[in-house]
Amino acid sequence: RKMKRIIVLAFVVAMCFSRVACGSNGGAEATVDPVEEAKTKLAEAYDSCCGGLTDAYARIGSDNMSLVIDTRPTDGWASQYEDTAIATILAVNLELGLPSSLTEKMSSTRALDGTQSQDCGAYTVTWNYHPENGLKVIYEVNL
């Protein structure tokens, strides 16, 4: 089971970083709206890290202002996507450049801790965990 998680994580991270950025603005500096930039980066993380089974465990808001990943989208029973969803959370955290301490906090959250959140610059990340409902993470663009 541990090896399966490692393989899934490696696959999701490889998918996430397989994109090649190209292009140039020709040396001209354009003013970039930080909210629009964060929305674009969140949408790109969703596209590249959430794989083809996104409706099962991940969804992005129609305005690209939020991304929700739920390891057990049908509460009360183990999801067939649980390992993939966990690997996706790790990949999205990397893609968005979030601190590694956030992942540590998520992995040590207990049901008794309730809903947790952390401001991570352009994003606020909120999560909760329950043994029956799994881990649910919400990434929100800060205005």
Short mmCIF file of all heavy atoms in Angstrom, two decimals, residues 44-91:
data_model
loop_
_atom_site.label_atom_id
_atom_site.label_comp_id
_atom_site.label_asym_id
_atom_site.label_seq_id
_atom_site.Cartn_x
_atom_site.Cartn_y
_atom_site.Cartn_z
N GLU A 44 -4.08 26.52 -13.57
CA GLU A 44 -3.02 25.69 -14.14
C GLU A 44 -2.69 24.51 -13.23
O GLU A 44 -2.46 23.40 -13.71
CB GLU A 44 -1.77 26.52 -14.41
CG GLU A 44 -1.93 27.49 -15.56
CD GLU A 44 -0.75 28.45 -15.72
OE1 GLU A 44 0.14 28.48 -14.83
OE2 GLU A 44 -0.74 29.18 -16.72
N ALA A 45 -2.67 24.75 -11.92
CA ALA A 45 -2.42 23.67 -10.97
C ALA A 45 -3.53 22.63 -11.05
O ALA A 45 -3.27 21.42 -11.03
CB ALA A 45 -2.30 24.22 -9.54
N TYR A 46 -4.76 23.09 -11.17
CA TYR A 46 -5.89 22.18 -11.32
C TYR A 46 -5.74 21.34 -12.59
O TYR A 46 -5.86 20.12 -12.56
CB TYR A 46 -7.19 22.98 -11.35
CG TYR A 46 -8.42 22.18 -11.70
CD1 TYR A 46 -9.01 21.33 -10.77
CD2 TYR A 46 -9.00 22.27 -12.96
CE1 TYR A 46 -10.14 20.60 -11.07
CE2 TYR A 46 -10.13 21.53 -13.27
CZ TYR A 46 -10.69 20.70 -12.33
OH TYR A 46 -11.81 19.98 -12.65
N ASP A 47 -5.44 22.00 -13.70
CA ASP A 47 -5.32 21.30 -14.98
C ASP A 47 -4.18 20.29 -14.97
O ASP A 47 -4.33 19.18 -15.47
CB ASP A 47 -5.10 22.29 -16.12
CG ASP A 47 -6.34 23.11 -16.44
OD1 ASP A 47 -7.46 22.69 -16.07
OD2 ASP A 47 -6.19 24.19 -17.06
N SER A 48 -3.04 20.67 -14.41
CA SER A 48 -1.87 19.81 -14.50
C SER A 48 -1.75 18.79 -13.38
O SER A 48 -1.17 17.74 -13.58
CB SER A 48 -0.60 20.65 -14.58
OG SER A 48 -0.42 21.38 -13.39
N CYS A 49 -2.32 19.07 -12.23
CA CYS A 49 -2.11 18.19 -11.08
C CYS A 49 -3.30 17.29 -10.75
O CYS A 49 -3.13 16.28 -10.08
CB CYS A 49 -1.78 19.01 -9.84
SG CYS A 49 -0.27 19.97 -9.97
N CYS A 50 -4.48 17.65 -11.19
CA CYS A 50 -5.66 16.91 -10.77
C CYS A 50 -6.02 15.76 -11.69
O CYS A 50 -6.95 15.02 -11.42
CB CYS A 50 -6.85 17.86 -10.61
SG CYS A 50 -6.61 19.02 -9.24
N GLY A 51 -5.30 15.57 -12.78
CA GLY A 51 -5.51 14.42 -13.63
C GLY A 51 -6.85 14.42 -14.33
O GLY A 51 -7.59 15.38 -14.31
N GLY A 52 -7.18 13.31 -14.92
CA GLY A 52 -8.41 13.20 -15.69
C GLY A 52 -9.63 12.81 -14.87
O GLY A 52 -10.73 12.76 -15.39
N LEU A 53 -9.44 12.52 -13.59
CA LEU A 53 -10.55 12.07 -12.77
C LEU A 53 -11.02 13.17 -11.82
O LEU A 53 -11.47 12.91 -10.71
CB LEU A 53 -10.13 10.84 -11.96
CG LEU A 53 -9.65 9.67 -12.80
CD1 LEU A 53 -9.05 8.58 -11.92
CD2 LEU A 53 -10.80 9.10 -13.61
N THR A 54 -10.92 14.41 -12.26
CA THR A 54 -11.14 15.54 -11.36
C THR A 54 -12.54 15.61 -10.79
O THR A 54 -12.72 16.03 -9.66
CB THR A 54 -10.82 16.85 -12.09
OG1 THR A 54 -11.56 16.88 -13.31
CG2 THR A 54 -9.36 16.96 -12.38
N ASP A 55 -13.55 15.23 -11.54
CA ASP A 55 -14.91 15.31 -11.01
C ASP A 55 -15.09 14.42 -9.79
O ASP A 55 -15.96 14.65 -8.97
CB ASP A 55 -15.93 14.92 -12.09
CG ASP A 55 -16.03 15.96 -13.18
OD1 ASP A 55 -15.61 17.11 -12.95
OD2 ASP A 55 -16.51 15.63 -14.26
N ALA A 56 -14.27 13.39 -9.69
CA ALA A 56 -14.40 12.45 -8.59
C ALA A 56 -13.95 13.06 -7.26
O ALA A 56 -14.57 12.81 -6.24
CB ALA A 56 -13.58 11.20 -8.88
N TYR A 57 -12.90 13.85 -7.25
CA TYR A 57 -12.37 14.34 -5.98
C TYR A 57 -11.93 15.80 -5.99
O TYR A 57 -11.60 16.34 -4.94
CB TYR A 57 -11.21 13.46 -5.52
CG TYR A 57 -10.03 13.49 -6.46
CD1 TYR A 57 -9.05 14.47 -6.35
CD2 TYR A 57 -9.88 12.54 -7.45
CE1 TYR A 57 -7.98 14.50 -7.21
CE2 TYR A 57 -8.81 12.56 -8.31
CZ TYR A 57 -7.85 13.54 -8.18
OH TYR A 57 -6.79 13.57 -9.03
N ALA A 58 -11.88 16.46 -7.12
CA ALA A 58 -11.41 17.84 -7.17
C ALA A 58 -12.29 18.67 -8.09
O ALA A 58 -12.79 18.17 -9.10
CB ALA A 58 -9.97 17.89 -7.68
N ARG A 59 -12.47 19.92 -7.71
CA ARG A 59 -13.24 20.83 -8.57
C ARG A 59 -12.72 22.24 -8.36
O ARG A 59 -12.33 22.63 -7.26
CB ARG A 59 -14.74 20.72 -8.29
CG ARG A 59 -15.16 21.14 -6.91
CD ARG A 59 -16.64 20.83 -6.65
NE ARG A 59 -17.03 21.25 -5.32
CZ ARG A 59 -16.78 20.60 -4.20
NH1 ARG A 59 -16.10 19.48 -4.23
NH2 ARG A 59 -17.19 21.06 -3.04
N ILE A 60 -12.74 22.99 -9.43
CA ILE A 60 -12.31 24.38 -9.37
C ILE A 60 -13.55 25.25 -9.56
O ILE A 60 -14.46 24.89 -10.30
CB ILE A 60 -11.23 24.70 -10.42
CG1 ILE A 60 -10.59 26.06 -10.13
CG2 ILE A 60 -11.76 24.56 -11.83
CD1 ILE A 60 -9.24 26.26 -10.76
N GLY A 61 -13.58 26.38 -8.87
CA GLY A 61 -14.71 27.29 -9.00
C GLY A 61 -14.81 27.84 -10.40
O GLY A 61 -13.81 28.00 -11.10
N SER A 62 -16.01 28.18 -10.82
CA SER A 62 -16.22 28.70 -12.18
C SER A 62 -15.46 30.00 -12.40
O SER A 62 -15.15 30.35 -13.54
CB SER A 62 -17.71 28.90 -12.44
OG SER A 62 -18.25 29.82 -11.51
N ASP A 63 -15.13 30.70 -11.32
CA ASP A 63 -14.38 31.96 -11.43
C ASP A 63 -12.88 31.76 -11.17
O ASP A 63 -12.12 32.73 -11.11
CB ASP A 63 -14.94 33.00 -10.46
CG ASP A 63 -14.94 32.52 -9.01
OD1 ASP A 63 -14.48 31.38 -8.74
OD2 ASP A 63 -15.40 33.29 -8.15
N ASN A 64 -12.44 30.52 -11.02
CA ASN A 64 -11.04 30.17 -10.73
C ASN A 64 -10.52 30.79 -9.43
O ASN A 64 -9.32 30.94 -9.26
CB ASN A 64 -10.11 30.55 -11.89
CG ASN A 64 -10.33 29.71 -13.11
OD1 ASN A 64 -10.91 28.63 -13.05
ND2 ASN A 64 -9.88 30.19 -14.25
N MET A 65 -11.44 31.10 -8.52
CA MET A 65 -11.03 31.69 -7.24
C MET A 65 -10.81 30.64 -6.15
O MET A 65 -10.24 30.95 -5.11
CB MET A 65 -12.09 32.70 -6.75
CG MET A 65 -12.18 33.96 -7.58
SD MET A 65 -10.73 35.03 -7.41
CE MET A 65 -10.91 35.61 -5.72
N SER A 66 -11.23 29.40 -6.40
CA SER A 66 -11.06 28.36 -5.39
C SER A 66 -10.89 27.00 -6.05
O SER A 66 -11.37 26.76 -7.16
CB SER A 66 -12.25 28.33 -4.44
OG SER A 66 -13.43 27.98 -5.13
N LEU A 67 -10.19 26.14 -5.34
CA LEU A 67 -10.00 24.75 -5.74
C LEU A 67 -10.27 23.89 -4.52
O LEU A 67 -9.75 24.19 -3.43
CB LEU A 67 -8.56 24.53 -6.23
CG LEU A 67 -8.09 23.10 -6.46
CD1 LEU A 67 -8.93 22.39 -7.50
CD2 LEU A 67 -6.62 23.07 -6.84
N VAL A 68 -11.10 22.88 -4.66
CA VAL A 68 -11.43 21.98 -3.56
C VAL A 68 -10.96 20.58 -3.93
O VAL A 68 -11.25 20.09 -5.02
CB VAL A 68 -12.96 21.96 -3.30
CG1 VAL A 68 -13.29 20.97 -2.18
CG2 VAL A 68 -13.48 23.35 -2.97
N ILE A 69 -10.23 19.95 -3.01
CA ILE A 69 -9.82 18.57 -3.18
C ILE A 69 -10.32 17.80 -1.96
O ILE A 69 -10.03 18.18 -0.82
CB ILE A 69 -8.29 18.42 -3.33
CG1 ILE A 69 -7.80 19.24 -4.53
CG2 ILE A 69 -7.91 16.94 -3.48
CD1 ILE A 69 -6.31 19.29 -4.67
N ASP A 70 -11.07 16.74 -2.20
CA ASP A 70 -11.68 15.96 -1.13
C ASP A 70 -11.25 14.50 -1.30
O ASP A 70 -11.54 13.88 -2.31
CB ASP A 70 -13.21 16.09 -1.24
CG ASP A 70 -13.95 15.55 -0.04
OD1 ASP A 70 -13.34 14.78 0.76
OD2 ASP A 70 -15.13 15.89 0.11
N THR A 71 -10.55 13.97 -0.29
CA THR A 71 -10.05 12.60 -0.40
C THR A 71 -11.15 11.55 -0.30
O THR A 71 -10.96 10.43 -0.73
CB THR A 71 -8.98 12.30 0.67
OG1 THR A 71 -9.57 12.39 1.97
CG2 THR A 71 -7.80 13.24 0.53
N ARG A 72 -12.28 11.94 0.27
CA ARG A 72 -13.44 11.04 0.33
C ARG A 72 -14.69 11.83 -0.02
O ARG A 72 -15.47 12.21 0.85
CB ARG A 72 -13.59 10.43 1.72
CG ARG A 72 -12.52 9.43 2.04
CD ARG A 72 -12.89 8.63 3.26
NE ARG A 72 -11.73 7.89 3.71
CZ ARG A 72 -11.59 7.44 4.93
NH1 ARG A 72 -12.53 7.62 5.82
NH2 ARG A 72 -10.50 6.78 5.25
N PRO A 73 -14.90 12.08 -1.30
CA PRO A 73 -16.03 12.91 -1.70
C PRO A 73 -17.38 12.32 -1.33
O PRO A 73 -18.35 13.04 -1.17
CB PRO A 73 -15.88 13.04 -3.21
CG PRO A 73 -14.94 11.98 -3.61
CD PRO A 73 -14.11 11.63 -2.42
N THR A 74 -17.44 11.01 -1.14
CA THR A 74 -18.65 10.37 -0.62
C THR A 74 -18.31 9.94 0.79
O THR A 74 -17.66 8.93 1.00
CB THR A 74 -19.05 9.16 -1.49
OG1 THR A 74 -19.18 9.59 -2.83
CG2 THR A 74 -20.34 8.56 -1.02
N ASP A 75 -18.71 10.76 1.77
CA ASP A 75 -18.34 10.54 3.16
C ASP A 75 -18.76 9.16 3.66
O ASP A 75 -19.77 8.61 3.26
CB ASP A 75 -18.98 11.62 4.05
CG ASP A 75 -18.44 13.00 3.74
OD1 ASP A 75 -17.35 13.09 3.15
OD2 ASP A 75 -19.11 13.98 4.09
N GLY A 76 -17.95 8.66 4.58
CA GLY A 76 -18.30 7.44 5.28
C GLY A 76 -17.71 6.17 4.70
O GLY A 76 -17.77 5.13 5.33
N TRP A 77 -17.15 6.20 3.51
CA TRP A 77 -16.53 5.01 2.95
C TRP A 77 -15.27 5.40 2.21
O TRP A 77 -15.15 6.50 1.70
CB TRP A 77 -17.49 4.25 2.05
CG TRP A 77 -18.03 5.02 0.89
CD1 TRP A 77 -19.06 5.90 0.91
CD2 TRP A 77 -17.54 5.01 -0.45
NE1 TRP A 77 -19.26 6.43 -0.34
CE2 TRP A 77 -18.35 5.91 -1.19
CE3 TRP A 77 -16.52 4.33 -1.11
CZ2 TRP A 77 -18.15 6.14 -2.55
CZ3 TRP A 77 -16.33 4.58 -2.46
CH2 TRP A 77 -17.14 5.46 -3.16
N ALA A 78 -14.33 4.50 2.21
CA ALA A 78 -13.05 4.78 1.57
C ALA A 78 -13.25 4.96 0.07
O ALA A 78 -13.89 4.15 -0.59
CB ALA A 78 -12.07 3.64 1.83
N SER A 79 -12.73 6.03 -0.43
CA SER A 79 -12.85 6.36 -1.85
C SER A 79 -11.77 5.65 -2.64
O SER A 79 -10.63 5.53 -2.19
CB SER A 79 -12.72 7.87 -2.03
OG SER A 79 -12.58 8.20 -3.38
N GLN A 80 -12.12 5.21 -3.83
CA GLN A 80 -11.12 4.62 -4.71
C GLN A 80 -10.10 5.66 -5.16
O GLN A 80 -9.04 5.32 -5.66
CB GLN A 80 -11.80 3.98 -5.91
CG GLN A 80 -12.54 4.97 -6.79
CD GLN A 80 -13.22 4.29 -7.96
OE1 GLN A 80 -12.80 3.23 -8.39
NE2 GLN A 80 -14.27 4.91 -8.48
N TYR A 81 -10.41 6.93 -4.97
CA TYR A 81 -9.52 8.01 -5.38
C TYR A 81 -8.70 8.58 -4.23
O TYR A 81 -7.98 9.55 -4.41
CB TYR A 81 -10.32 9.14 -6.02
CG TYR A 81 -11.17 8.69 -7.17
CD1 TYR A 81 -12.55 8.66 -7.09
CD2 TYR A 81 -10.57 8.25 -8.36
CE1 TYR A 81 -13.32 8.23 -8.15
CE2 TYR A 81 -11.34 7.82 -9.42
CZ TYR A 81 -12.72 7.81 -9.32
OH TYR A 81 -13.47 7.38 -10.37
N GLU A 82 -8.82 8.00 -3.04
CA GLU A 82 -8.19 8.58 -1.85
C GLU A 82 -6.69 8.78 -2.02
O GLU A 82 -6.18 9.87 -1.78
CB GLU A 82 -8.50 7.73 -0.63
CG GLU A 82 -8.08 8.38 0.66
CD GLU A 82 -8.66 7.67 1.87
OE1 GLU A 82 -9.17 6.55 1.76
OE2 GLU A 82 -8.59 8.27 2.95
N ASP A 83 -5.97 7.75 -2.44
CA ASP A 83 -4.53 7.87 -2.61
C ASP A 83 -4.18 8.91 -3.66
O ASP A 83 -3.26 9.71 -3.49
CB ASP A 83 -3.90 6.53 -2.98
CG ASP A 83 -3.93 5.53 -1.84
OD1 ASP A 83 -4.10 5.95 -0.68
OD2 ASP A 83 -3.78 4.32 -2.11
N THR A 84 -4.92 8.90 -4.76
CA THR A 84 -4.68 9.88 -5.83
C THR A 84 -4.97 11.29 -5.35
O THR A 84 -4.23 12.22 -5.66
CB THR A 84 -5.55 9.54 -7.07
OG1 THR A 84 -5.28 8.20 -7.45
CG2 THR A 84 -5.25 10.47 -8.22
N ALA A 85 -6.04 11.46 -4.59
CA ALA A 85 -6.39 12.79 -4.07
C ALA A 85 -5.32 13.31 -3.11
O ALA A 85 -4.96 14.49 -3.16
CB ALA A 85 -7.76 12.75 -3.39
N ILE A 86 -4.79 12.43 -2.27
CA ILE A 86 -3.73 12.84 -1.35
C ILE A 86 -2.49 13.25 -2.13
O ILE A 86 -1.87 14.29 -1.87
CB ILE A 86 -3.41 11.71 -0.35
CG1 ILE A 86 -4.58 11.56 0.62
CG2 ILE A 86 -2.12 12.00 0.41
CD1 ILE A 86 -4.52 10.32 1.49
N ALA A 87 -2.12 12.45 -3.13
CA ALA A 87 -0.96 12.79 -3.96
C ALA A 87 -1.21 14.11 -4.70
O ALA A 87 -0.29 14.92 -4.87
CB ALA A 87 -0.68 11.67 -4.95
N THR A 88 -2.44 14.35 -5.10
CA THR A 88 -2.78 15.59 -5.80
C THR A 88 -2.63 16.79 -4.88
O THR A 88 -2.14 17.84 -5.30
CB THR A 88 -4.21 15.51 -6.37
OG1 THR A 88 -4.26 14.42 -7.29
CG2 THR A 88 -4.61 16.78 -7.08
N ILE A 89 -3.04 16.66 -3.63
CA ILE A 89 -2.88 17.76 -2.66
C ILE A 89 -1.40 18.10 -2.54
O ILE A 89 -1.02 19.28 -2.59
CB ILE A 89 -3.48 17.38 -1.30
CG1 ILE A 89 -5.01 17.31 -1.40
CG2 ILE A 89 -3.04 18.35 -0.21
CD1 ILE A 89 -5.69 16.64 -0.21
N LEU A 90 -0.56 17.09 -2.43
CA LEU A 90 0.89 17.33 -2.34
C LEU A 90 1.41 18.02 -3.59
O LEU A 90 2.22 18.96 -3.51
CB LEU A 90 1.63 16.02 -2.10
CG LEU A 90 1.28 15.27 -0.81
CD1 LEU A 90 1.97 13.91 -0.79
CD2 LEU A 90 1.65 16.09 0.40
N ALA A 91 0.94 17.57 -4.75
CA ALA A 91 1.40 18.16 -6.01
C ALA A 91 0.92 19.61 -6.15
O ALA A 91 1.69 20.48 -6.60
CB ALA A 91 0.90 17.33 -7.19
#
